[in-house]
Amino acid sequence: MDARTEERTWTVGELAGDLGITTRTLRFYEAEGLITPARAGSNRVYGPREHARMRLILRGRRFGMTLAECREIVDMYTGAESSEQRQLTTLLARLDAIAEDLERRRADLDRTLTEVTDVADQCRNRLTELGLEE
Amino acid sequence: MDARTEERTWTVGELAGDLGITTRTLRFYEAEGLITPARAGSNRVYGPREHARMRLILRGRRFGMTLAECREIVDMYTGAESSEQRQLTTLLARLDAIAEDLERRRADLDRTLTEVTDVADQCRNRLTELGLEE
DNA sequence: CTTGACGTTCACGTTAACGTCAAGCAGGCG
DNA sequence: CGCCTGCTTGACGTTAACGTGAACGTCAAG
């Protein structure tokens, strides 16, 4: 019965619930060419591949990337194995650029984090002072 | 001549150029209550205080915060010294929540970064393979 | 005195990323 | 059978964060 190729599938509603988004978002992303689920008749069928792809996209969104940027990256991921030498080279360049950007963001975030915790510490000190004065 | 209180000032255009944004953005932020520059006649005059405030806001924006969130944070920063005990407590709670969020983002970013560098490494391996085969 | 380069306010336009109906089909259930 | 639930495709509405232009003031240079 070919049981080993039986992969889990999701409907729009299921996947949306699973990912914490709405069905509208899934359909919108499809219209924008970010995902291409299979069809059972007219109904969308999402497989594990689409599930992973969506998680990638959503992570991109969390980092403030536009949908176009998300698509670019996800396409690069999925096309990484099948690429020819020339494409691999340009892909590698893009990946390095992205990594560089991410490291900049990381440094930025670290600075912000220490600043925030510093202010929080000042608050704590001020509070203990106030507590001792009265 | 009270020279020690002479602080550097900027016009809209200067500050915009300095921060890499447009004058429209500065005026918009003012209309939204994020900054309140002084005036020389009808012209806006920005001091070091506004400059720093803007850098804070822009950093918030880089992290994908909305202007409302930026305002909240910046207001908290500047109001940190003058606050009373009750306000300090709620302020501290907010700061801790923000720090927690930032740490989550940081972990997320780290995961992404390692993933990207992993894929890049796979690319490099694949490229050296291709180089050896021919 | 006119020409630019800067500033001002007011107001409508734009884009991304969805939300929100509307109208209709398909299947299961009491 | 009627109803409910969940799917479908449009199509229009919405919000944030500015862009863009109009219409005007002001000051220094030529």
Side-chain angles (χ1 to χ4, degrees):
Chain A
M1 270 183 263
D2 209 41
R4 72 194 179 290
T5 56
E6 270 178 25
E7 296 185 322
R8 205 210 141 165
T9 61
W10 290 262
T11 71
V12 252
E14 287 168 352
L15 187 57
D18 199 278
L19 295 173
I21 57 179
T22 70
T23 63
R24 170 62 178 145
T25 302
L26 283 171
R27 291 195 257 261
F28 180 70
Y29 284 7
E30 182 178 352
E32 297 292 304
L34 286 146
I35 30 167
T36 326
R39 296 281 179 149
S42 68
N43 288 22
R44 280 161 250 260
V45 177
Y46 298 86
R49 203 167 184 81
E50 282 72 32
H51 191 279
R53 204 177 159 89
M54 275 306 300
R55 287 202 325 265
L56 268 178
I57 295 170
L58 293 177
R59 184 159 64 184
R61 295 261 350 151
R62 284 202 301 277
F63 291 136
M65 301 186 194
T66 69
L67 290 187
E69 290 168 335
C70 287
R71 177 174 41 206
E72 188 191 5
I73 291 181
V74 176
D75 285 350
M76 282 181 3
Y77 263 76
T78 62
E81 306 91 8
S82 57
S83 296
E84 300 306 325
Q85 185 157 357
R86 262 194 58 80
Q87 300 183 28
L88 267 180
T89 316
T90 65
L91 165 59
L92 186 54
R94 287 286 296 126
L95 282 176
D96 284 343
I98 290 174
E100 220 175 302
D101 176 54
L102 286 179
E103 276 165 16
R104 265 193 299 273
R105 281 165 181 266
R106 196 195 128 114
D108 200 350
L109 202 157
D110 277 346
R111 275 196 302 276
T112 309
L113 188 50
T114 60
E115 273 192 31
V116 169
T117 53
D118 279 1
V119 177
D121 285 347
Q122 289 172 28
C123 277
R124 266 182 270 272
N125 293 340
R126 191 94 178 76
L127 275 174
T128 56
E129 279 179 31
L130 286 175
L132 295 179
E133 278 171 12
E134 63 177 2
Chain B
M1 273 181 259
D2 209 41
R4 71 194 179 289
T5 56
E6 269 178 25
E7 297 185 321
R8 207 215 140 157
T9 61
W10 291 261
T11 70
V12 252
E14 287 169 353
L15 187 57
D18 199 278
L19 296 173
I21 58 179
T22 69
T23 62
R24 169 63 176 144
T25 302
L26 283 170
R27 290 194 258 261
F28 179 69
Y29 284 7
E30 182 178 352
E32 297 294 303
L34 286 145
I35 29 168
T36 326
R39 297 280 179 150
S42 69
N43 288 24
R44 280 161 249 258
V45 177
Y46 299 86
R49 204 168 183 80
E50 282 73 31
H51 191 280
R53 205 178 158 89
M54 275 305 300
R55 288 202 324 264
L56 267 179
I57 295 171
L58 293 177
R59 184 160 65 183
R61 295 257 1 151
R62 284 202 301 277
F63 291 137
M65 301 186 195
T66 68
L67 290 185
E69 290 169 333
C70 289
R71 176 175 42 206
E72 189 191 4
I73 291 182
V74 176
D75 284 349
M76 282 179 4
Y77 264 75
T78 62
E81 305 91 9
S82 58
S83 297
E84 300 305 325
Q85 185 159 358
R86 263 194 58 82
Q87 300 184 28
L88 268 179
T89 316
T90 63
L91 165 58
L92 186 55
R94 288 287 297 126
L95 282 176
D96 284 342
I98 290 175
E100 222 175 299
D101 176 55
L102 286 179
E103 276 165 16
R104 264 194 299 274
R105 281 166 180 266
R106 196 195 131 115
D108 199 350
L109 203 157
D110 276 346
R111 275 196 302 277
T112 309
L113 188 50
T114 59
E115 273 193 32
V116 170
T117 52
D118 279 1
V119 177
D121 286 347
Q122 290 172 28
C123 277
R124 266 183 269 272
N125 293 341
R126 190 93 177 77
L127 276 174
T128 55
E129 279 179 32
L130 286 176
L132 296 178
E133 277 171 14
E134 60 176 4

